[in-house]
Amino acid sequence: YHLSKGALRMSWTQPLAYCGSYSCFDGVISAEVLLDHISHECKSGLSLLNGMTRPDATVTAANASIFVVNHVSQHRDQLGLLLGSAEWQDPERDYLPRNASDLQTHEPEQEMVAATARALFAKFGAWDAEALLEPQELSFRKSYALKGEFVECGFHRINYDFADGQDMDCLQVATKSVEFDKFTRWLIVTA
C-alpha cells in the first residue's frame, strides 16, 4: 500500500509518567493511522464482499459501501466524521474528512455513503446514540434517506424502484462499533 507524504493521520498519545503525574514526565508514546489507509481497507472489504456474492450479483460502489465514522469522541465536533470509505479512489488528492451525514448529493462516488449515513442519523438521532454501541442491522429506502428521512423497507411502503425483480431503492445496512479507548469509538458500516 502506497503511503503518501503529508497524508492526514489520526494519532493517539499517552504520556510516560511512572509516578502517575506530570512531575516525573518522561516522554510520550503514540500510535497513528493514515486516513487513506482506512479507505484502502474499506475498498478491500468491498472486494471481499463481492467475492462472496452470487455470480449473477456484482457488488460495486454504485450498490454497496463500507465506511468508517467516528461515532464516540470527547470532542463533539468530531462526531460523525467520515474517516474513510470504499469509494474514496483518488490517489492524486488527499482525503479530506467531513461529516458523513453532510456529504453533498453532487458527489456521486459517495452517494451510498451519504444515503446510509443520513438514514442512520435520522433513525438514531445522533452518532453517539447508545443503540449504536451494539451491532445494528436494518433496511431503509435510499430515496428517502438522501432527503434526511428514515423509512424502513416493506411491502406496505411506497416508492418502489424494481429492476430485474429486485427492489433497487431498498438497502440493508449493518453496523459494528469498535472501541479504541474510553473516549473514542469508530462505527464500521456496511451497506
Side-chain angles (χ1 to χ4, degrees):
Y1 179 67
H2 171 21
L3 302 177
S4 60
K5 279 186 171 179
L8 196 55
R9 303 161 195 265
M10 181 174 271
S11 296
W12 288 266
T13 60
Q14 186 67 38
L16 296 174
Y18 60 88
C19 66
S21 73
Y22 282 100
S23 65
C24 61
F25 182 72
D26 202 24
V28 175
I29 57 170
S30 173
E32 68 181 26
V33 63
L34 290 151
L35 295 188
D36 288 346
H37 187 71
I38 296 170
S39 293
H40 174 78
E41 291 301 321
C42 289
K43 187 175 180 179
S44 295
L46 198 61
S47 294
L48 288 171
L49 188 60
N50 187 42
M52 294 187 290
T53 59
R54 300 183 326 255
D56 62 330
T58 303
V59 175
T60 67
N63 63 13
S65 181
I66 297 175
F67 61 96
V68 179
V69 174
N70 190 33
H71 89 105
V72 173
S73 175
Q74 61 186 1
H75 306 287
R76 303 292 301 164
D77 61 327
Q78 293 179 3
L79 294 176
L81 189 67
L82 180 65
L83 300 171
S85 72
E87 291 75 19
W88 185 258
Q89 301 175 10
D90 190 346
E92 300 302 314
R93 291 187 338 196
D94 287 334
Y95 179 77
L96 299 174
R98 56 222 184 267
N99 193 292
S101 48
D102 292 340
L103 290 174
Q104 300 299 310
T105 54
H106 67 269
E107 296 180 79
E109 73 278 2
Q110 295 283 354
E111 186 176 69
M112 288 296 294
V113 175
T116 306
R118 288 178 185 161
L120 289 170
F121 194 79
K123 169 126 175 105
F124 296 103
W127 285 110
D128 59 351
E130 183 112 0
L132 287 172
L133 297 176
E134 299 299 321
Q136 298 290 325
E137 292 183 28
L138 51 108
S139 61
F140 66 93
R141 295 235 164 259
K142 180 180 171 183
S143 58
Y144 285 92
L146 287 170
K147 296 184 278 185
E149 300 174 41
F150 178 79
V151 175
E152 283 187 88
C153 295
F155 292 109
H156 61 287
R157 305 287 184 191
I158 58 171
N159 195 24
Y160 285 96
D161 179 15
F162 286 93
D164 297 325
Q166 295 181 341
D167 185 357
M168 301 307 288
D169 192 45
C170 182
L171 301 175
Q172 293 182 309
V173 62
T175 68
K176 173 75 173 159
S177 178
V178 177
E179 181 179 17
F180 284 91
D181 59 36
K182 65 182 180 177
F183 303 111
T184 308
R185 291 181 83 101
W186 289 359
L187 190 66
I188 301 171
V189 181
T190 304

